[in-house]
Amino acid sequence: MVARGDLGVELGLYRVPFAQKLLIQRAKQAGLFVITATQMCESMIEAPVPTRAEVSDLCNAVWDGTDAVMLSGEAASGKFPLEAVMTQASCTREAESVMHQLKQACPYVSIGGAAMLRPPRMLNCGMALKRQETDHSKRKTKVVASLGPSSWSEEMIPKMIAAGTDIFRLNCSHRRGGDFERVYPLIRKYAKEMGKHVEVLGDLQGPKFRVGELAGDPIPLVNGDILEFGISVDENDNIRPGRITMKSTTEQNALMKAAKVGTDLLIEDGIMKVNVVEKLSDTELKVKVIRGGKLKARKGVNVPDVEIDCAALTDKDIEDAEFLLQLDPPLEYICVSFVQKGQDLQELIDIMDRMNLPADKRPKICPKIEKPQAFTNIEGIIAKSQALMVA
């Protein structure tokens, strides 16, 4: 999975399309199953039809070579989950139907200065008037739908399958209250009854980096202001004017330890940015506001230029992985979030080994590429993967 959400924050929005193409191509060369995700039809959380930009994004993912496209909030909590699934199914099938023409029209790359082996086939604008492809039995690109309150009822699951869902995603960020235990048998039951091959993907949350709670109202961050940024010393050390705090967790302590003078901290998907101007200790920083805004509680923090030295799997991830790996029949895929290097995936492999899972019951390991550091270490990541998500 190429994680275009966090990757867009850390790598920069304008660099993600090229990175997506490179990752898909390299993963396909290695024989991996590739999922492209994040904001593919986000407007359909509130609207029954996609934007033209979203349709273009879906088609370009298919033309890049992706094997699957994913719905997140659109299917899990949106108002139009069925329409979102049908949109992805229709867009990807239409993109597939013209892919051969695009490939034929692409010029050949010269070898050693030699001329092209043969001239490319010319396209003409009249080709745009072809009938839309509606035979979905020919569709190869899979639709991944995240389950949530909008879609995981017993009534909705068969409708989601009928609409075109090929893979259901269980997002462990929202695993609570026995919902997964209730939903998983329903997926298998209705897929069998409907004669459909439907797979399941479990998605581990991974380490989360968030600012803490507010002492009062949201606080304005003003460009140029110098603030304290530190780990909360106690439960009353909350965000207030002049001070931003994070709760003490293993991964957040590791983030603070890794930060140094010059490090950028991006808050709320990069809407706000502060820069470290002084490191007081491994838990306390002085930062300058570079891009201000109104800071609310529990907003995410990204650190683009730092490899954070902490385990890839949190205690919650280990518990969730053990649950997912005991499902019967076994699920087909398991995603690891915020992968930076091959060793991050070894942690999951070690859990499978400890549980003595035979090879035929092990799900395909699918890293989510969300950190720039993954590009440097991509070969080690691919070596331990059977799939990859561009999310």
Side-chain angles (χ1 to χ4, degrees):
M1 182 187 285
V2 181
R4 305 181 311 173
D6 283 280
L7 189 62
V9 175
E10 301 214 1
L11 189 64
L13 291 173
Y14 310 118
R15 299 164 70 189
V16 169
F18 184 50
Q20 172 177 313
K21 292 179 186 297
L22 294 174
L23 285 166
I24 291 175
Q25 184 178 30
R26 181 64 193 95
K28 296 302 292 180
Q29 288 172 343
L32 304 187
F33 181 85
V34 182
I35 304 170
T36 304
T38 308
Q39 296 181 323
M40 301 215 78
C41 291
E42 190 169 25
S43 70
M44 295 189 74
I45 292 174
E46 297 290 339
V49 294
T51 66
R52 286 182 289 277
E54 289 166 342
V55 171
S56 294
D57 188 27
L58 284 164
C59 290
N60 278 309
V62 173
W63 295 331
D64 287 345
T66 194
D67 295 295
V69 291
M70 193 174 90
L71 296 163
S72 298
E74 306 96 329
S77 57
K79 296 178 181 178
F80 303 97
L82 297 176
E83 290 85 350
V85 171
M86 289 187 283
T87 289
Q88 287 208 335
S90 296
C91 283
T92 55
R93 180 64 199 114
E94 183 65 19
E96 291 171 352
S97 74
V98 298
M99 186 185 295
H100 66 289
Q101 293 174 316
L102 291 177
K103 286 183 176 179
Q104 289 172 356
C106 290
Y108 289 84
V109 178
S110 63
I111 301 174
M116 295 182 294
L117 298 177
R118 62 181 174 85
R121 178 185 175 187
M122 298 297 291
L123 298 183
N124 66 78
C125 291
M127 292 178 176
L129 301 178
K130 67 175 279 294
R131 286 193 173 203
Q132 181 176 336
E133 179 60 61
T134 57
D135 185 356
H136 286 266
S137 66
K138 298 179 180 178
R139 177 169 57 86
K140 297 178 180 178
T141 307
K142 296 182 182 294
V143 174
V144 184
S146 302
L147 285 172
S150 294
S151 54
W152 62 16
S153 69
E154 186 163 4
E155 176 187 4
M156 282 296 293
I157 287 174
K159 292 181 179 179
M160 294 287 284
I161 295 172
T165 300
D166 300 290
I167 303 174
F168 282 111
R169 172 183 176 238
L170 300 178
N171 182 1
C172 290
S173 295
H174 307 297
R175 181 187 165 226
R176 53 183 173 269
D179 286 315
F180 285 12
E181 290 84 345
R182 174 185 60 82
V183 166
Y184 190 76
L186 295 177
I187 296 171
R188 299 308 190 185
K189 170 188 173 184
Y190 285 109
K192 183 176 181 180
E193 288 181 2
M194 298 169 71
K196 300 286 189 180
H197 179 68
V198 177
E199 298 178 314
V200 179
L201 178 153
D203 193 347
L204 302 177
Q205 175 180 284
K208 291 290 186 183
F209 304 100
R210 298 187 183 280
V211 299
E213 301 292 336
L214 290 164
D217 295 330
I219 64 167
L221 301 185
V222 180
N223 291 358
D225 280 3
I226 303 296
L227 312 172
E228 297 174 358
F229 195 116
I231 297 294
S232 298
V233 297
D234 56 43
E235 62 182 16
N236 296 315
D237 187 15
N238 294 321
I239 299 169
R240 54 192 180 274
R243 181 166 174 78
I244 301 171
T245 58
M246 304 175 77
K247 289 183 178 179
S248 178
T249 65
T250 300
E251 51 268 22
Q252 298 199 150
N253 288 335
L255 181 154
M256 294 294 289
K257 185 175 181 178
K260 56 185 182 295
V261 173
T263 297
D264 286 329
L265 304 175
L266 306 178
I267 304 172
E268 195 176 351
D269 293 333
I271 293 174
M272 289 161 277
K273 179 167 79 170
V274 300
N275 179 266
V276 178
V277 294
E278 185 178 355
K279 183 157 188 173
L280 304 175
S281 70
D282 282 346
T283 59
E284 287 290 331
L285 310 169
K286 285 285 185 73
V287 299
K288 181 179 181 179
V289 179
I290 305 299
R291 186 166 56 242
K294 185 167 285 189
L295 181 60
K296 301 175 184 177
R298 299 182 299 282
K299 293 301 178 183
V301 177
N302 291 85
V303 190
D305 303 321
V306 173
E307 183 169 332
I308 299 167
D309 186 18
C310 66
L313 302 184
T314 65
D315 290 343
K316 172 178 167 51
D317 292 328
I318 293 170
E319 179 185 330
D320 289 337
E322 290 172 346
F323 165 79
L324 293 172
L325 293 169
Q326 292 178 58
L327 290 172
D328 186 27
L331 78 169
E332 285 77 14
Y333 301 92
I334 187 165
C335 285
V336 181
S337 297
F338 303 106
V339 171
Q340 299 181 89
K341 54 189 182 298
Q343 181 58 34
D344 294 343
L345 301 178
Q346 186 62 45
E347 295 178 28
L348 178 59
I349 295 170
D350 290 344
I351 293 174
M352 295 184 190
D353 291 343
R354 174 168 53 79
M355 295 176 67
N356 294 316
L357 283 182
D360 62 340
K361 292 186 179 298
R362 296 192 177 201
K364 297 179 179 69
I365 296 175
C366 180
K368 296 167 68 175
I369 307 302
E370 300 170 275
K371 296 281 292 180
Q373 289 75 17
F375 288 83
T376 304
N377 303 315
I378 195 65
E379 297 306 319
I381 292 170
I382 286 175
K384 295 183 182 295
S385 306
Q386 294 81 47
L388 185 139
M389 186 180 285
V390 189

